[in-house]
Amino acid sequence: MAVTEPAPVALPPAHEGILRRQALRESAARTYARSLPIVPVRARGMTIEGADGRRYLDCLSGAGTLALGHNHPVVLEAIRKVIDSGAPLHVLDLATPVKDAFTTELFSTLPRELADDARVQFCGPAGTDAVEAALKLVRVASGRSGLLAFTGAYHGMTAGALAASGGATDVGVTRLPFPHTYRCPFGAGGEHGAELAARWTEYLLDDPKGGVPAPAGMILEPVQGEGGVNPAPDRWMRRMREITQERSIALIADEVQTGVGRTGTFWAVEHSGVVPDVMVLSKAIGGSLPLAVIVYRSALDLWRPGAHAGTFRGNQLAMAAGAATLAYVRENQLAERAGTLGARMLARLQALSADHPSIGDVRGRGLMIGIELVDPEAEPLTVTDEKGSAPPPDPALAAAVQQECLHRGLIVEVGGRHSAVVRLLPPLTLTDEQAVAVVDRLADALRAAERSPYRRAAAGQTR
Ligand code: PMP
């Protein structure tokens, strides 16, 4: 009798094991890993290669961190140079040539009026650390403890930053309306809606019975990122500057996500010409490694030694990578490039909305773009825009679009107040061809998602 070989057991691919072990061992609080089940093993520019051999165009860029994309040669060279030099990699807040060069480069990019009179504080390495530092700074300097912050804001996950974010409640924080054209809280939209928001702010601050705890500062994002890509109109930004200046309230611009060319100018405050008192910087300033700082007017520098300390304030590799990134963006006018390419992508996406009633709104600035998906057949929400009524957001469709994008080799983010905004944050080095490919794949994904049964199944759970 012939001996038959046992049939070979088909082993699952290695990446499936990694994903399975991640799901078993990592926290329930994990985020991107849930909607983007990929295992990146190599990356260059805008392309990520997964352990399964698939390639993806990355429009997430480490949540907006990678201004130059993955592993840009100038970033790698800067990192190698530090390693090969024998310099210490970790030095608390001691002075080093690498830090000195980073600070010089950073100051050369700041609005002139601030750069001429600025102090920089190196804090813990995350954006949220820098937000905490900024809040502490303005409270110490003013002797007041209240804070003005906006609906839809996101400033981080530590206690103070979270309290300033839109989803939180905190007795010391006065929540003000952020202008929003598509879902304008005043039913006006555009410049008029923004002016009404500014008037409400002014009125509340001057109302002796307004219930506003004396504010040390006002914190705002020039373009709200996590809140669903909501650009602040330039005029409104100038109004906030006037309102804060007249009342000696420090204006804090959180440029963690908007900085380093992302919105079409080096810093997003430049669109309006506003010079804030404090700027909060992280993400791209570390050239893909963790780094965060605040820069502020010297008059605010009234805190004591050790007032805001932390062990990891001296990451030399991040400072070198960051200085190389800032210099590359500046020398190659990548902010202008982001503005041009972003406007082109925005126009193509807006054109797409003519055939897709599920595209409620397309908005953004530079290469920070959001597409709000809605259910055109559902009853409108009570708040209305200037054109009439905005249909309710459709988070299930946004989730389905994200999955369909992934199937087509495109990584996008979903965010916004109702998780219904598909977000694009490509690197500033994106080529014309890649920009076309992104919009093509997204359009195709939207068509598929609109037909998908997944959408109908998910819709039952989320509404
Ligand atoms: N501010 C803004 C505007 C942000 O977008 C973020 C992060 N998305 C943060 C602060 C917090 O940064 P981090 O996650 O590094 O703490």
Side-chain angles (χ1 to χ4, degrees):
M1 209 168 94
V3 180
T4 47
E5 289 279 320
V9 183
L11 289 173
H15 77 276
E16 284 184 15
I18 292 172
L19 289 173
R20 192 169 39 77
R21 285 191 291 282
Q22 180 186 42
L24 286 173
R25 299 193 293 211
E26 286 189 29
S27 156
R30 65 194 187 282
T31 54
Y32 302 101
R34 289 177 187 278
S35 49
L36 301 169
I38 59 170
V39 181
V41 288
R42 254 178 300 277
R44 186 84 173 182
M46 200 187 173
T47 307
I48 286 186
E49 192 183 314
D52 57 357
R54 293 201 62 205
R55 290 158 74 87
Y56 302 88
L57 285 179
D58 182 10
C59 271
L60 181 54
S61 303
T65 304
L66 306 165
L68 305 184
H70 295 271
N71 291 323
H72 193 282
V74 302
V75 171
L76 296 185
E77 192 195 321
I79 292 172
R80 281 199 194 101
K81 216 168 129 194
V82 175
I83 293 173
D84 293 345
S85 75
L89 299 181
H90 171 57
V91 292
L92 302 167
D93 68 348
L94 302 183
T96 68
V98 173
K99 188 202 248 188
D100 188 53
F102 171 82
T103 306
T104 303
E105 181 57 44
L106 177 67
F107 276 36
S108 81
T109 68
L110 294 176
R112 227 344 353 115
E113 187 190 324
L114 184 58
D116 286 346
D117 174 44
R119 294 285 182 273
V120 58
Q121 204 250 349
F122 288 81
C123 42
T128 200
D129 295 317
V131 170
E132 297 291 342
L135 301 184
K136 196 182 281 178
L137 176 81
V138 299
R139 283 177 170 143
V140 169
S142 66
R144 300 177 219 135
S145 62
L147 181 70
L148 306 174
F150 290 90
T151 51
Y154 183 78
H155 298 292
M157 280 285 165
T158 50
L162 198 59
S165 298
T169 51
D170 184 291
V171 284
V173 177
T174 302
R175 187 78 46 207
L176 299 166
F178 194 85
H180 201 306
T181 288
Y182 186 58
R183 296 190 189 280
C184 177
F186 305 103
E191 285 290 337
H192 184 45
E195 175 52 26
L196 293 176
R199 272 192 222 172
W200 171 245
T201 296
E202 219 165 18
Y203 180 86
L204 197 61
L205 292 180
D206 293 342
D207 182 351
K209 301 281 181 209
V212 179
M218 169 190 279
I219 184 165
L220 56 77
E221 296 155 87
V223 181
Q224 287 187 338
E226 307 302 322
V229 194
N230 308 313
D234 294 342
R235 223 182 91 73
W236 179 84
M237 284 287 291
R238 289 191 285 273
R239 291 277 281 123
M240 292 307 108
R241 176 67 285 189
E242 279 161 24
I243 289 171
T244 49
Q245 202 144 28
E246 282 162 6
R247 293 161 183 80
S248 302
I249 300 167
L251 180 63
I252 305 166
D254 179 346
E255 290 244 24
V256 167
Q257 196 164 137
T258 50
V260 194
R262 165 86 31 214
T263 70
T265 47
F266 205 99
W267 303 107
V269 289
E270 292 167 39
H271 289 290
S272 59
V274 159
V275 180
D277 301 303
V278 186
M279 285 173 72
V280 181
L281 314 176
S282 187
K283 293 199 196 272
I285 64 157
S288 75
L289 298 178
L291 186 64
V293 300
I294 54 171
V295 287
Y296 52 94
R297 296 180 196 267
S298 62
L300 292 169
D301 204 27
L302 300 174
W303 47 6
R304 304 210 161 276
H308 197 74
T311 303
F312 289 110
R313 286 179 289 153
N315 186 332
Q316 300 297 289
L317 294 182
M319 290 174 198
T325 300
L326 297 174
Y328 192 87
V329 170
R330 179 175 54 75
E331 286 161 6
N332 294 280
Q333 286 96 39
L334 290 191
E336 289 84 341
R337 166 110 184 117
T340 314
L341 214 50
R344 214 182 293 158
M345 289 174 77
L346 212 59
R348 275 200 68 203
L349 290 165
Q350 270 153 354
L352 202 65
S353 65
D355 298 329
H356 293 272
S358 61
I359 298 183
D361 195 27
V362 179
R363 53 185 181 255
R365 205 149 203 188
L367 288 172
M368 195 166 170
I369 296 173
I371 302 120
E372 180 161 341
L373 298 175
V374 297
D375 184 346
E377 280 155 32
E379 281 296 304
L381 295 182
T382 44
V383 284
T384 57
D385 72 350
E386 61 194 339
K387 292 165 272 178
S389 50
D394 194 340
L397 179 60
V401 169
Q402 187 181 38
Q403 293 314 304
E404 294 293 345
C405 282
L406 201 62
H407 294 156
R408 286 159 182 76
L410 178 67
I411 298 173
V412 298
E413 157 88 299
V414 169
R417 289 168 162 80
H418 308 278
S419 302
V421 179
V422 174
R423 298 183 58 208
L424 303 178
L425 290 163
L428 315 185
T429 48
L430 160 96
T431 65
D432 290 1
E433 295 73 32
Q434 286 169 330
V436 170
V438 167
V439 178
D440 286 350
R441 288 184 201 184
L442 184 58
D444 201 38
L446 178 60
R447 277 188 286 274
E450 283 172 339
R451 292 191 304 264
S452 105
Y454 167 86
R455 178 194 178 185
R456 285 192 288 277
Q461 298 159 14
T462 51
R463 289 218 198 94

